[in-house]
Amino acid sequence: MHFESSCFVWIANKKTILYTFSKLLLVYKNVKCRLMKHQMTNPPRRRLSREDRKRQLLDVAWELIRKEGTDALTLGHLAEQAGVTKPVVYDHFGSRNGLLAALYKEYDARQTAVMDAALRESEPTLRGKASVIAASYVGCVLQQGNEIPGVIAALAGAPELEKIKREYQVIFIEKCRDVFTPFVGKGTIAIAGLWAMLGAADALSNAAAAGDITPKQAEDELSETILAMVGRNV
């Protein structure tokens, strides 16, 4: 009797073990199936190079400014929107001012490239050069939408950022001086006139971006301003 009882107990335990094992196997299959579906619909992210990661962060930053304004641009918010950790953003820019400086430098590089290409293809006349510079300046501001005025305004809030902005302004003014000097004969172009031209370029471009005037009006007025500025030095 004792032997038979032991057999029954062993058989019962074996059935319990087999039942438990089958349940665990079913759970494993379900989990594996869900994991495979997740991998098919959510392939593993490719690790970006440092350069590609910076490009991604700058693109997200521009988009964030476009949607929420410059005040919403913080490194923490950028990290959240880009799907990375804060240390990644800090590693690339160091601070919010560093991010703003990077955005402005990128904008200026784009503006310079567009203007240089247009100048190479422009008519070798004063009006041709003036029209190209006016169209390039206004066009770059409009291409960046309402984001760049916010970035420029933020640049004025810190001395180091204002210094970066001023350096690029001086580079632009010197470029214009080189372009227009051949048209003034033995005269020279006054620096005050070049700064006045730059002020007009910013004001007209921002007015066009805000919809107060048309892009064509901004370009035409800036072109005429340039012609008048150069004409005073002939």
Side-chain angles (χ1 to χ4, degrees):
M1 291 294 293
H2 178 71
F3 173 75
E4 292 179 354
S5 299
S6 299
C7 287
F8 284 127
V9 171
W10 180 82
I11 293 172
N13 289 340
K14 185 176 181 181
K15 288 182 177 180
T16 301
I17 293 172
L18 290 175
Y19 176 76
T20 302
F21 178 77
S22 64
K23 294 291 287 184
L24 290 174
L25 184 61
L26 181 61
V27 171
Y28 169 76
K29 289 181 177 180
N30 289 336
V31 171
K32 184 178 180 181
C33 182
R34 288 197 295 268
L35 180 61
M36 291 178 64
K37 288 181 178 179
H38 176 77
Q39 290 175 340
M40 292 176 63
T41 57
N42 300 276
R45 295 181 179 179
R46 180 176 63 88
R47 185 178 180 85
L48 298 179
S49 66
R50 182 173 180 81
E51 182 179 349
D52 289 341
R53 177 63 71 190
K54 184 176 182 179
R55 175 72 268 149
Q56 180 219 10
L57 292 174
L58 289 172
D59 288 342
V60 173
W62 283 120
E63 184 66 20
L64 200 159
I65 295 173
R66 187 176 303 116
K67 291 181 177 179
E68 303 181 37
T70 309
D71 289 342
L73 184 63
T74 65
L75 297 191
H77 193 25
L78 175 59
E80 179 183 349
Q81 294 298 308
V84 299
T85 60
K86 287 184 182 180
V88 172
V89 181
Y90 278 93
D91 180 52
H92 281 280
F93 305 110
S95 65
R96 183 174 185 269
N97 284 352
L99 173 58
L100 289 169
L103 290 170
Y104 184 79
K105 289 177 180 178
E106 180 178 71
Y107 165 75
D108 185 85
R110 185 185 301 118
Q111 185 184 56
T112 299
V114 169
M115 189 172 297
D116 286 348
L119 285 170
R120 286 194 296 269
E121 301 297 326
S122 65
E123 297 179 2
T125 63
L126 174 57
R127 183 168 290 277
K129 300 297 183 183
S131 296
V132 161
I133 288 179
S136 299
Y137 200 100
V138 174
C140 284
V141 173
L142 292 178
Q143 183 182 14
Q144 204 62 61
N146 292 321
E147 304 95 77
I148 193 60
V151 172
I152 292 175
L155 287 170
E160 66 270 24
L161 297 182
E162 180 64 27
K163 180 181 178 181
I164 292 173
K165 176 186 172 184
R166 183 53 58 94
E167 288 174 354
Y168 281 102
Q169 287 176 325
V170 170
I171 291 172
F172 173 77
I173 283 177
E174 290 303 319
K175 179 189 295 290
C176 290
R177 187 204 293 271
D178 291 341
V179 170
F180 297 132
T181 293
F183 300 101
V184 298
K186 295 181 179 180
T188 58
I189 299 178
I191 189 66
L194 290 166
W195 279 105
M197 175 202 67
L198 179 58
D202 285 334
L204 290 166
S205 298
N206 292 338
D212 297 327
I213 59 176
T214 67
K216 183 66 164 54
Q217 288 174 323
E219 292 176 15
D220 290 347
E221 187 62 30
L222 179 54
S223 181
E224 292 300 321
T225 299
I226 293 172
L227 291 174
M229 182 269 297
V230 176
R232 289 196 300 271
N233 296 274
V234 175

